[in-house]
Amino acid sequence: GNSVTQMEGPVTLSEEAFLTINCTYTATGYPSLFWYVQYPGEGLQLLLKATKADDKGSNKGFEATYRKETTSFHLEKGSVQVSDSAVYFCALSQDNYGQNFVFGPGTRLSVLP
Amino acid sequence: GAVVSQHPSWVICKSGTSVKIECRSLDFQATTMFWYRQFPKQSLMLMATSNEGSKATYEQGVEKDKFLINHASLTLSTLTVTSAHPEDSSFYICSARRGFHTDTQYFGPGTRLTVL
């Protein structure tokens, strides 16, 4: 079956540090890949997505590139801020209709001033 | 934008009572809505998929008689937890898909249910 694996947290960084959160997936075919962010006490918000190999999703300074050869979709940001503290979920969707959505376990990020 | 709201944001109830949670798409018509459950410090687990005007499709292991889902309109889906027990305490999150040919889901803020 489909699955998503993320690096275990929590991740604690100082402000302006470089961030990488690893994500790898197992799926048949060519899934779409997503990063969602959940701020404390809130629901999930779509951060970025990529729908095919070599696509790069980007938003709010975050980037992730769909690497089919390594089945990865690592999240990066060059300079994190305190406001980036949240839980980040990697996810995949197996079809074009939002069905079969599979989430990773989430990685908690804490950014210290 | 694509805003999804949930009501209530939190609810506390006694064991044995039923609780209804509403999920609304505020600025778009949602052909499909999804209900998830999230345990503390864990990921989201899909409970069911709800298409407007038809019966919900439940994931394996989810009791359809306990978690009643109604998707009566293109902007509203409800989840009713019947005869709630303490083990049903959780964070329930809905999401909505706008249109048919998209794989992006828009999530509500979640409802925290505590059953005493």
PDB file of all heavy atoms in Angstrom, chain A residues 25-47:
ATOM      1  N   TYR A  25       8.376   8.466   0.107  1.00  0.00           N
ATOM      2  CA  TYR A  25       7.069   7.861  -0.069  1.00  0.00           C
ATOM      3  C   TYR A  25       7.193   6.520  -0.775  1.00  0.00           C
ATOM      4  O   TYR A  25       8.199   6.235  -1.446  1.00  0.00           O
ATOM      5  CB  TYR A  25       6.143   8.787  -0.859  1.00  0.00           C
ATOM      6  CG  TYR A  25       6.568   8.986  -2.302  1.00  0.00           C
ATOM      7  CD1 TYR A  25       6.091   8.155  -3.311  1.00  0.00           C
ATOM      8  CD2 TYR A  25       7.459   9.998  -2.654  1.00  0.00           C
ATOM      9  CE1 TYR A  25       6.494   8.317  -4.625  1.00  0.00           C
ATOM     10  CE2 TYR A  25       7.863  10.168  -3.960  1.00  0.00           C
ATOM     11  CZ  TYR A  25       7.387   9.333  -4.945  1.00  0.00           C
ATOM     12  OH  TYR A  25       7.796   9.498  -6.243  1.00  0.00           O
ATOM     13  N   THR A  26       6.153   5.739  -0.636  1.00  0.00           N
ATOM     14  CA  THR A  26       5.998   4.483  -1.377  1.00  0.00           C
ATOM     15  C   THR A  26       4.631   4.521  -2.021  1.00  0.00           C
ATOM     16  O   THR A  26       3.624   4.724  -1.337  1.00  0.00           O
ATOM     17  CB  THR A  26       6.086   3.269  -0.431  1.00  0.00           C
ATOM     18  OG1 THR A  26       7.333   3.278   0.227  1.00  0.00           O
ATOM     19  CG2 THR A  26       5.922   1.974  -1.221  1.00  0.00           C
ATOM     20  N   ALA A  27       4.613   4.363  -3.314  1.00  0.00           N
ATOM     21  CA  ALA A  27       3.333   4.391  -4.035  1.00  0.00           C
ATOM     22  C   ALA A  27       3.528   3.772  -5.404  1.00  0.00           C
ATOM     23  O   ALA A  27       4.627   3.782  -5.960  1.00  0.00           O
ATOM     24  CB  ALA A  27       2.820   5.825  -4.177  1.00  0.00           C
ATOM     25  N   THR A  28       2.439   3.261  -5.935  1.00  0.00           N
ATOM     26  CA  THR A  28       2.472   2.802  -7.319  1.00  0.00           C
ATOM     27  C   THR A  28       2.132   3.977  -8.213  1.00  0.00           C
ATOM     28  O   THR A  28       1.437   4.907  -7.803  1.00  0.00           O
ATOM     29  CB  THR A  28       1.463   1.669  -7.533  1.00  0.00           C
ATOM     30  OG1 THR A  28       0.170   2.143  -7.137  1.00  0.00           O
ATOM     31  CG2 THR A  28       1.825   0.464  -6.679  1.00  0.00           C
ATOM     32  N   GLY A  29       2.629   3.961  -9.390  1.00  0.00           N
ATOM     33  CA  GLY A  29       2.297   5.017 -10.332  1.00  0.00           C
ATOM     34  C   GLY A  29       2.945   6.341 -10.000  1.00  0.00           C
ATOM     35  O   GLY A  29       4.053   6.394  -9.458  1.00  0.00           O
ATOM     36  N   TYR A  30       2.195   7.409 -10.263  1.00  0.00           N
ATOM     37  CA  TYR A  30       2.759   8.751 -10.127  1.00  0.00           C
ATOM     38  C   TYR A  30       1.850   9.617  -9.258  1.00  0.00           C
ATOM     39  O   TYR A  30       1.001  10.346  -9.768  1.00  0.00           O
ATOM     40  CB  TYR A  30       2.913   9.367 -11.518  1.00  0.00           C
ATOM     41  CG  TYR A  30       3.758   8.515 -12.434  1.00  0.00           C
ATOM     42  CD1 TYR A  30       3.189   7.586 -13.300  1.00  0.00           C
ATOM     43  CD2 TYR A  30       5.151   8.618 -12.403  1.00  0.00           C
ATOM     44  CE1 TYR A  30       3.971   6.792 -14.116  1.00  0.00           C
ATOM     45  CE2 TYR A  30       5.938   7.831 -13.228  1.00  0.00           C
ATOM     46  CZ  TYR A  30       5.340   6.917 -14.076  1.00  0.00           C
ATOM     47  OH  TYR A  30       6.121   6.132 -14.895  1.00  0.00           O
ATOM     48  N   PRO A  31       2.046   9.539  -7.961  1.00  0.00           N
ATOM     49  CA  PRO A  31       1.179  10.319  -7.066  1.00  0.00           C
ATOM     50  C   PRO A  31       1.498  11.800  -7.117  1.00  0.00           C
ATOM     51  O   PRO A  31       2.583  12.197  -7.557  1.00  0.00           O
ATOM     52  CB  PRO A  31       1.505   9.750  -5.693  1.00  0.00           C
ATOM     53  CG  PRO A  31       2.936   9.309  -5.811  1.00  0.00           C
ATOM     54  CD  PRO A  31       3.072   8.798  -7.219  1.00  0.00           C
ATOM     55  N   SER A  32       0.565  12.607  -6.668  1.00  0.00           N
ATOM     56  CA  SER A  32       0.844  14.010  -6.370  1.00  0.00           C
ATOM     57  C   SER A  32       1.370  14.077  -4.934  1.00  0.00           C
ATOM     58  O   SER A  32       0.954  13.300  -4.078  1.00  0.00           O
ATOM     59  CB  SER A  32      -0.426  14.848  -6.493  1.00  0.00           C
ATOM     60  OG  SER A  32      -0.869  14.883  -7.828  1.00  0.00           O
ATOM     61  N   LEU A  33       2.248  15.020  -4.689  1.00  0.00           N
ATOM     62  CA  LEU A  33       2.872  15.145  -3.369  1.00  0.00           C
ATOM     63  C   LEU A  33       2.584  16.508  -2.770  1.00  0.00           C
ATOM     64  O   LEU A  33       2.527  17.511  -3.499  1.00  0.00           O
ATOM     65  CB  LEU A  33       4.387  14.924  -3.479  1.00  0.00           C
ATOM     66  CG  LEU A  33       4.819  13.574  -4.062  1.00  0.00           C
ATOM     67  CD1 LEU A  33       6.333  13.523  -4.238  1.00  0.00           C
ATOM     68  CD2 LEU A  33       4.347  12.421  -3.183  1.00  0.00           C
ATOM     69  N   PHE A  34       2.402  16.533  -1.462  1.00  0.00           N
ATOM     70  CA  PHE A  34       1.980  17.749  -0.779  1.00  0.00           C
ATOM     71  C   PHE A  34       2.783  17.937   0.514  1.00  0.00           C
ATOM     72  O   PHE A  34       3.230  16.968   1.134  1.00  0.00           O
ATOM     73  CB  PHE A  34       0.501  17.663  -0.373  1.00  0.00           C
ATOM     74  CG  PHE A  34      -0.448  17.380  -1.491  1.00  0.00           C
ATOM     75  CD1 PHE A  34      -0.622  16.086  -1.966  1.00  0.00           C
ATOM     76  CD2 PHE A  34      -1.201  18.396  -2.059  1.00  0.00           C
ATOM     77  CE1 PHE A  34      -1.503  15.810  -2.997  1.00  0.00           C
ATOM     78  CE2 PHE A  34      -2.092  18.132  -3.085  1.00  0.00           C
ATOM     79  CZ  PHE A  34      -2.238  16.842  -3.554  1.00  0.00           C
ATOM     80  N   TRP A  35       2.883  19.179   0.916  1.00  0.00           N
ATOM     81  CA  TRP A  35       3.260  19.523   2.274  1.00  0.00           C
ATOM     82  C   TRP A  35       2.146  20.372   2.868  1.00  0.00           C
ATOM     83  O   TRP A  35       1.726  21.367   2.269  1.00  0.00           O
ATOM     84  CB  TRP A  35       4.573  20.309   2.323  1.00  0.00           C
ATOM     85  CG  TRP A  35       5.784  19.428   2.296  1.00  0.00           C
ATOM     86  CD1 TRP A  35       6.591  19.165   1.220  1.00  0.00           C
ATOM     87  CD2 TRP A  35       6.345  18.681   3.388  1.00  0.00           C
ATOM     88  NE1 TRP A  35       7.604  18.311   1.583  1.00  0.00           N
ATOM     89  CE2 TRP A  35       7.482  17.993   2.903  1.00  0.00           C
ATOM     90  CE3 TRP A  35       5.993  18.537   4.740  1.00  0.00           C
ATOM     91  CZ2 TRP A  35       8.258  17.174   3.715  1.00  0.00           C
ATOM     92  CZ3 TRP A  35       6.772  17.720   5.543  1.00  0.00           C
ATOM     93  CH2 TRP A  35       7.898  17.054   5.026  1.00  0.00           C
ATOM     94  N   TYR A  36       1.672  19.932   4.022  1.00  0.00           N
ATOM     95  CA  TYR A  36       0.682  20.686   4.781  1.00  0.00           C
ATOM     96  C   TYR A  36       1.326  21.149   6.083  1.00  0.00           C
ATOM     97  O   TYR A  36       2.194  20.484   6.639  1.00  0.00           O
ATOM     98  CB  TYR A  36      -0.544  19.830   5.089  1.00  0.00           C
ATOM     99  CG  TYR A  36      -1.510  19.694   3.945  1.00  0.00           C
ATOM    100  CD1 TYR A  36      -1.347  18.704   2.975  1.00  0.00           C
ATOM    101  CD2 TYR A  36      -2.599  20.549   3.832  1.00  0.00           C
ATOM    102  CE1 TYR A  36      -2.242  18.580   1.925  1.00  0.00           C
ATOM    103  CE2 TYR A  36      -3.498  20.434   2.779  1.00  0.00           C
ATOM    104  CZ  TYR A  36      -3.316  19.450   1.828  1.00  0.00           C
ATOM    105  OH  TYR A  36      -4.186  19.334   0.791  1.00  0.00           O
ATOM    106  N   VAL A  37       0.841  22.280   6.597  1.00  0.00           N
ATOM    107  CA  VAL A  37       1.345  22.810   7.866  1.00  0.00           C
ATOM    108  C   VAL A  37       0.178  22.988   8.825  1.00  0.00           C
ATOM    109  O   VAL A  37      -0.912  23.399   8.417  1.00  0.00           O
ATOM    110  CB  VAL A  37       2.117  24.138   7.658  1.00  0.00           C
ATOM    111  CG1 VAL A  37       1.260  25.194   6.979  1.00  0.00           C
ATOM    112  CG2 VAL A  37       2.646  24.664   8.984  1.00  0.00           C
ATOM    113  N   GLN A  38       0.411  22.626  10.069  1.00  0.00           N
ATOM    114  CA  GLN A  38      -0.628  22.766  11.095  1.00  0.00           C
ATOM    115  C   GLN A  38      -0.070  23.615  12.228  1.00  0.00           C
ATOM    116  O   GLN A  38       0.828  23.177  12.959  1.00  0.00           O
ATOM    117  CB  GLN A  38      -1.055  21.398  11.619  1.00  0.00           C
ATOM    118  CG  GLN A  38      -2.205  21.449  12.611  1.00  0.00           C
ATOM    119  CD  GLN A  38      -2.621  20.062  13.077  1.00  0.00           C
ATOM    120  OE1 GLN A  38      -1.794  19.157  13.194  1.00  0.00           O
ATOM    121  NE2 GLN A  38      -3.910  19.887  13.352  1.00  0.00           N
ATOM    122  N   TYR A  39      -0.598  24.818  12.361  1.00  0.00           N
ATOM    123  CA  TYR A  39      -0.194  25.693  13.460  1.00  0.00           C
ATOM    124  C   TYR A  39      -0.960  25.291  14.724  1.00  0.00           C
ATOM    125  O   TYR A  39      -2.032  24.683  14.639  1.00  0.00           O
ATOM    126  CB  TYR A  39      -0.446  27.151  13.101  1.00  0.00           C
ATOM    127  CG  TYR A  39       0.374  27.611  11.918  1.00  0.00           C
ATOM    128  CD1 TYR A  39      -0.186  27.739  10.653  1.00  0.00           C
ATOM    129  CD2 TYR A  39       1.736  27.889  12.058  1.00  0.00           C
ATOM    130  CE1 TYR A  39       0.566  28.130   9.566  1.00  0.00           C
ATOM    131  CE2 TYR A  39       2.498  28.277  10.971  1.00  0.00           C
ATOM    132  CZ  TYR A  39       1.908  28.388   9.736  1.00  0.00           C
ATOM    133  OH  TYR A  39       2.658  28.766   8.658  1.00  0.00           O
ATOM    134  N   PRO A  40      -0.437  25.609  15.876  1.00  0.00           N
ATOM    135  CA  PRO A  40      -1.065  25.172  17.137  1.00  0.00           C
ATOM    136  C   PRO A  40      -2.553  25.507  17.198  1.00  0.00           C
ATOM    137  O   PRO A  40      -2.960  26.651  16.996  1.00  0.00           O
ATOM    138  CB  PRO A  40      -0.273  25.945  18.194  1.00  0.00           C
ATOM    139  CG  PRO A  40       1.066  26.160  17.575  1.00  0.00           C
ATOM    140  CD  PRO A  40       0.795  26.374  16.108  1.00  0.00           C
ATOM    141  N   GLY A  41      -3.356  24.499  17.472  1.00  0.00           N
ATOM    142  CA  GLY A  41      -4.788  24.696  17.642  1.00  0.00           C
ATOM    143  C   GLY A  41      -5.567  24.906  16.358  1.00  0.00           C
ATOM    144  O   GLY A  41      -6.756  25.218  16.404  1.00  0.00           O
ATOM    145  N   GLU A  42      -4.908  24.743  15.229  1.00  0.00           N
ATOM    146  CA  GLU A  42      -5.586  24.992  13.950  1.00  0.00           C
ATOM    147  C   GLU A  42      -5.608  23.735  13.089  1.00  0.00           C
ATOM    148  O   GLU A  42      -4.952  22.737  13.390  1.00  0.00           O
ATOM    149  CB  GLU A  42      -4.886  26.124  13.198  1.00  0.00           C
ATOM    150  CG  GLU A  42      -4.884  27.451  13.942  1.00  0.00           C
ATOM    151  CD  GLU A  42      -4.230  28.557  13.123  1.00  0.00           C
ATOM    152  OE1 GLU A  42      -4.005  28.371  11.919  1.00  0.00           O
ATOM    153  OE2 GLU A  42      -3.935  29.612  13.721  1.00  0.00           O
ATOM    154  N   GLY A  43      -6.373  23.797  12.010  1.00  0.00           N
ATOM    155  CA  GLY A  43      -6.382  22.706  11.046  1.00  0.00           C
ATOM    156  C   GLY A  43      -5.212  22.799  10.097  1.00  0.00           C
ATOM    157  O   GLY A  43      -4.359  23.670  10.219  1.00  0.00           O
ATOM    158  N   LEU A  44      -5.170  21.917   9.150  1.00  0.00           N
ATOM    159  CA  LEU A  44      -4.060  21.876   8.199  1.00  0.00           C
ATOM    160  C   LEU A  44      -4.247  22.901   7.095  1.00  0.00           C
ATOM    161  O   LEU A  44      -5.349  23.141   6.617  1.00  0.00           O
ATOM    162  CB  LEU A  44      -3.963  20.488   7.563  1.00  0.00           C
ATOM    163  CG  LEU A  44      -3.175  19.448   8.332  1.00  0.00           C
ATOM    164  CD1 LEU A  44      -3.896  19.055   9.589  1.00  0.00           C
ATOM    165  CD2 LEU A  44      -2.874  18.244   7.455  1.00  0.00           C
ATOM    166  N   GLN A  45      -3.136  23.469   6.695  1.00  0.00           N
ATOM    167  CA  GLN A  45      -3.140  24.390   5.558  1.00  0.00           C
ATOM    168  C   GLN A  45      -2.184  23.854   4.509  1.00  0.00           C
ATOM    169  O   GLN A  45      -1.087  23.406   4.841  1.00  0.00           O
ATOM    170  CB  GLN A  45      -2.669  25.777   5.994  1.00  0.00           C
ATOM    171  CG  GLN A  45      -3.512  26.431   7.071  1.00  0.00           C
ATOM    172  CD  GLN A  45      -2.926  27.750   7.510  1.00  0.00           C
ATOM    173  OE1 GLN A  45      -2.195  28.414   6.772  1.00  0.00           O
ATOM    174  NE2 GLN A  45      -3.236  28.159   8.728  1.00  0.00           N
ATOM    175  N   LEU A  46      -2.618  23.922   3.265  1.00  0.00           N
ATOM    176  CA  LEU A  46      -1.740  23.504   2.179  1.00  0.00           C
ATOM    177  C   LEU A  46      -0.569  24.472   2.082  1.00  0.00           C
ATOM    178  O   LEU A  46      -0.750  25.679   1.968  1.00  0.00           O
ATOM    179  CB  LEU A  46      -2.505  23.482   0.856  1.00  0.00           C
ATOM    180  CG  LEU A  46      -1.696  23.128  -0.380  1.00  0.00           C
ATOM    181  CD1 LEU A  46      -1.165  21.699  -0.289  1.00  0.00           C
ATOM    182  CD2 LEU A  46      -2.533  23.305  -1.634  1.00  0.00           C
ATOM    183  N   LEU A  47       0.633  23.937   2.132  1.00  0.00           N
ATOM    184  CA  LEU A  47       1.828  24.774   2.025  1.00  0.00           C
ATOM    185  C   LEU A  47       2.331  24.802   0.576  1.00  0.00           C
ATOM    186  O   LEU A  47       2.582  25.851   0.013  1.00  0.00           O
ATOM    187  CB  LEU A  47       2.915  24.240   2.955  1.00  0.00           C
ATOM    188  CG  LEU A  47       4.215  25.026   3.018  1.00  0.00           C
ATOM    189  CD1 LEU A  47       3.973  26.466   3.450  1.00  0.00           C
ATOM    190  CD2 LEU A  47       5.197  24.340   3.962  1.00  0.00           C
TER     191      LEU A  47
END
